[in-house]
Amino acid sequence: MLDSLKKIFSNEIEPVSTTGKSDISREKSAGLYEKAKTYFPGGVNSPVRAFKSVYGTPLFIEKGDGSHLWDADGNEFIDFCCSWGPLILGHNHPKVREKVVEVMQNGMSFGAPTALENELAELILKHNKFIEKLRFVSSGTEAVMSAIRLARGYTKRDKILKFEGCYHGHSDSLLVKAGSGLVTFGETSSAGVPKSFADETIVVSLDDTEALKKAFEEFKDQIAAVIIEPIPANNGLLLQSKEYLRFLREICTQNGALLIFDEVISGFRVGFEGAAGYYNIKPDIITYGKIIGGGLPVGCYGASAEIMGSISPDGSVYQAGTLSGNPVAMAAGIAQLSELLRMGFYKDLNNKTEEFAESIQRFATARNYKLKVFTIGSIFWIAFTDQEKISKAEDIDPASMDKFKKLHRELLNRGIYLGPSGYEVGFISSAHTKVDLEKAKRAIFDSLDMVYNGK
Ligand SMILES: *Cc1c(COP(=O)(O)O)cnc(C)c1O
């Protein structure tokens, strides 16, 4: 074996060059962006895509295949954003594509039930001991919004409790952030959300049992549901302890409040049964999105048959959707989830991720860089910190995002694509090969050298 290869595969840290790379060409992307700005606010159809917290104009993507992405200027990247999570099999997986194309031959939407809905539901329910019935919708936001209505309808209470640093989509009740104080009514985090809505949402810090106790005392018999990302991954990766999540389960039960696990990211990601399975904690309602649709728009919420009995037409909680259970989207979900059920799928993916995160950590530690790689399942987050644990949104230093901004640019220049914000996590897919990951590591090492000692 070549000496250099030996070093790479034995994970030794090689001295890396600290010579800079010139910026990739973004001529075509920049042109498309100028046009897009005349059509869409900020030139985009979802704000984080606008590259506001990183360098340069957004890249317009032309094609994805496996772990790789190509932009309009022909630049090629190894992709660690994976469409923000849905693509656990990578881009354009043949099984998913073939199933979608096959189903599309018969038409694209009927607004009537199809066998495909049964098929996807069966795949999920047969392998998930936490829910008995579910309802398909078309996005994560819609799943969460419906779960909240279900919780309110079922408990006949109005207030909900959420955590600072958890994202649950953009419905009114949840675009709410903490005010000052241990237990507060939320303040709206978006213009256009009435204050009266925010007054129904209580916001507390993650990983704080006292704040929870106090909230349940102060709002006795008023809280319909507590909603949490059991693996908070939308504001860094704020891993919670199992003890804390258990405490949360107990305090909800004691107070007659439902516990909602928002598993739009963690569902089918840390294992087929998501975070509920990972921690073996049974929430009352679970929401899914992202991976469940294989790259097409699918969301879902599920619960016991009894709780789901409150949903119309069985019950009095109304929720509907013209394109809910869309056959083409169901097809993509069926194909993707079937792959996830293969023996050893998660073990391989999770081991690969752990090894990747560990090598970056080893490199940073050896170089004395103030950096910590947090990881769970196939999610990773590079934090510019020396804290061993970050379990609360308030523990993230906003000034550290400046380092991410530099890292992002250096990585793009070296063919590595991360989501354009330091608060976003990275994802590894089954399509990422050993060679991809070794190449990415080298690029990350070089880029970190540039970030810390760049000339
Ligand atoms: C992405 C996400 C949502 C929103 O899903 P959309 O499909 O973007 O509407 C909600 N909750 C969590 C935890 C998410 O990660």
Side-chain angles (χ1 to χ4, degrees):
M1 203 191 255
L2 281 174
D3 233 33
S4 57
L5 274 181
K6 228 191 260 167
K7 275 190 187 147
I8 291 176
F9 287 111
S10 66
N11 280 317
E12 272 181 41
I13 297 150
E14 267 192 308
V16 291
S17 98
T18 47
T19 51
K21 287 246 182 197
S22 51
D23 284 329
I24 50 167
S25 158
R26 300 196 200 192
E27 213 181 305
K28 293 228 171 71
S29 281
L32 289 164
Y33 185 49
E34 283 311 306
K35 261 207 148 151
K37 281 196 281 191
T38 70
Y39 304 136
F40 315 116
V44 289
N45 287 296
S46 193
V48 71
R49 297 179 195 168
F51 270 45
K52 289 291 181 204
S53 35
V54 293
Y55 164 83
T57 52
L59 303 180
F60 278 61
I61 304 302
E62 214 160 78
K63 186 176 101 169
D65 199 53
S67 57
H68 286 239
L69 266 186
W70 287 263
D71 71 8
D73 290 280
N75 300 304
E76 181 177 349
F77 305 96
I78 302 172
D79 179 20
F80 290 96
C81 177
C82 297
S83 189
W84 304 98
L87 305 181
I88 193 170
L89 304 177
H91 296 270
N92 200 14
H93 190 278
K95 288 263 170 61
V96 179
R97 183 184 61 236
E98 281 157 22
K99 179 89 184 167
V100 164
V101 169
E102 176 201 317
V103 166
M104 273 170 70
Q105 310 295 324
N106 296 324
M108 296 193 212
S109 179
F110 312 111
T114 65
L116 292 156
E117 289 151 81
N118 288 359
E119 204 182 317
L120 183 55
E122 226 168 84
L123 254 179
I124 296 166
L125 295 174
K126 227 170 119 182
H127 300 95
N128 185 322
K129 58 184 167 295
F130 302 99
I131 54 174
E132 292 171 344
K133 275 194 176 180
L134 51 79
R135 169 68 59 86
F136 289 121
V137 292
S138 299
S139 72
T141 295
E142 215 187 325
V144 172
M145 182 184 80
S146 309
I148 295 282
R149 186 179 304 137
L150 170 59
R152 285 175 165 154
Y154 180 80
T155 59
K156 304 192 170 53
R157 296 175 178 181
D158 285 342
K159 296 220 183 312
I160 56 169
L161 184 148
K162 79 176 280 286
F163 297 90
E164 186 69 3
C166 285
Y167 177 69
H168 302 293
H170 65 87
S171 67
D172 284 340
S173 308
L174 293 160
L175 283 183
V176 170
K177 61 175 192 265
S180 52
L182 190 60
V183 175
T184 58
F185 285 126
E187 288 172 13
T188 64
S189 59
S190 162
V193 176
K195 188 178 172 303
S196 55
F197 279 54
D199 285 348
E200 299 299 330
T201 306
I202 303 152
V203 186
V204 302
S205 281
L206 282 161
D207 196 21
D208 185 343
T209 49
E210 285 314 305
L212 269 180
K213 282 187 202 157
K214 191 146 180 283
F216 275 107
E217 277 164 25
E218 220 165 288
F219 300 100
K220 199 161 176 45
D221 301 331
Q222 296 174 57
I223 300 175
V226 171
I227 183 164
I228 189 169
E229 283 181 83
I231 297 176
N234 277 288
N235 189 82
L237 183 59
L238 305 171
L239 295 172
Q240 303 298 296
S241 69
K242 186 169 178 174
E243 292 66 41
Y244 175 74
L245 292 171
R246 280 207 182 126
F247 172 79
L248 183 58
R249 172 64 278 181
E250 270 165 37
I251 201 167
C252 285
T253 308
Q254 285 162 7
N255 289 278
L258 299 187
L259 174 60
I260 305 175
F261 272 8
D262 180 357
E263 299 229 40
V264 172
I265 280 194
S266 55
F268 310 100
R269 171 59 66 179
V270 295
F272 197 85
E273 285 182 310
Y278 186 91
Y279 294 112
N280 197 25
I281 293 175
K282 188 180 179 304
D284 299 296
I285 306 177
I286 311 185
T287 57
Y288 298 107
K290 299 196 168 102
I291 290 176
I292 198 173
L296 290 184
V298 181
C300 154
Y301 60 101
S304 65
E306 196 231 329
I307 293 178
M308 290 305 280
S310 296
I311 295 291
S312 59
D314 282 351
S316 52
V317 177
Y318 189 71
Q319 187 273 310
T322 303
L323 292 173
S324 292
N326 173 269
V328 182
M330 293 292 106
I334 292 163
Q336 174 146 288
L337 298 198
S338 303
E339 289 302 298
L340 305 186
L341 286 167
R342 283 174 185 275
M343 271 284 281
F345 177 89
Y346 286 104
K347 191 161 168 278
D348 288 352
L349 183 59
N350 298 353
N351 286 345
K352 200 156 78 170
T353 308
E354 194 177 321
E355 198 275 328
F356 181 71
E358 274 173 7
S359 343
I360 299 168
Q361 188 64 67
R362 264 201 305 276
F363 174 83
T365 306
R367 284 276 211 274
N368 262 324
Y369 295 156
K370 204 172 109 177
L371 180 149
K372 182 97 177 91
V373 190
F374 295 98
T375 180
I376 186 169
S378 45
I379 307 173
F380 68 92
W381 180 50
I382 299 176
F384 294 92
T385 179
D386 48 13
Q387 289 164 260
E388 275 307 305
K389 176 182 137 183
I390 299 190
S391 59
K392 293 180 169 68
E394 304 89 296
D395 292 346
I396 302 176
D397 176 11
S400 68
M401 292 301 154
D402 185 50
K403 285 214 162 46
F404 178 82
K405 187 174 176 177
K406 291 180 184 145
L407 176 70
H408 188 264
R409 174 184 187 166
E410 294 297 333
L411 286 177
L412 284 183
N413 293 343
R414 290 168 174 79
I416 306 298
Y417 187 90
L418 289 187
S421 158
Y423 290 96
E424 301 291 348
V425 296
F427 297 100
I428 292 186
S429 77
S430 59
H432 286 81
T433 63
K434 208 170 174 127
V435 172
D436 286 331
L437 294 176
E438 291 305 331
K439 200 177 156 215
K441 276 190 227 166
R442 307 299 310 162
I444 291 171
F445 297 168
D446 278 355
S447 299
L448 287 174
D449 280 342
M450 286 300 289
V451 169
Y452 283 93
N453 336 297
K455 291 157 197 116

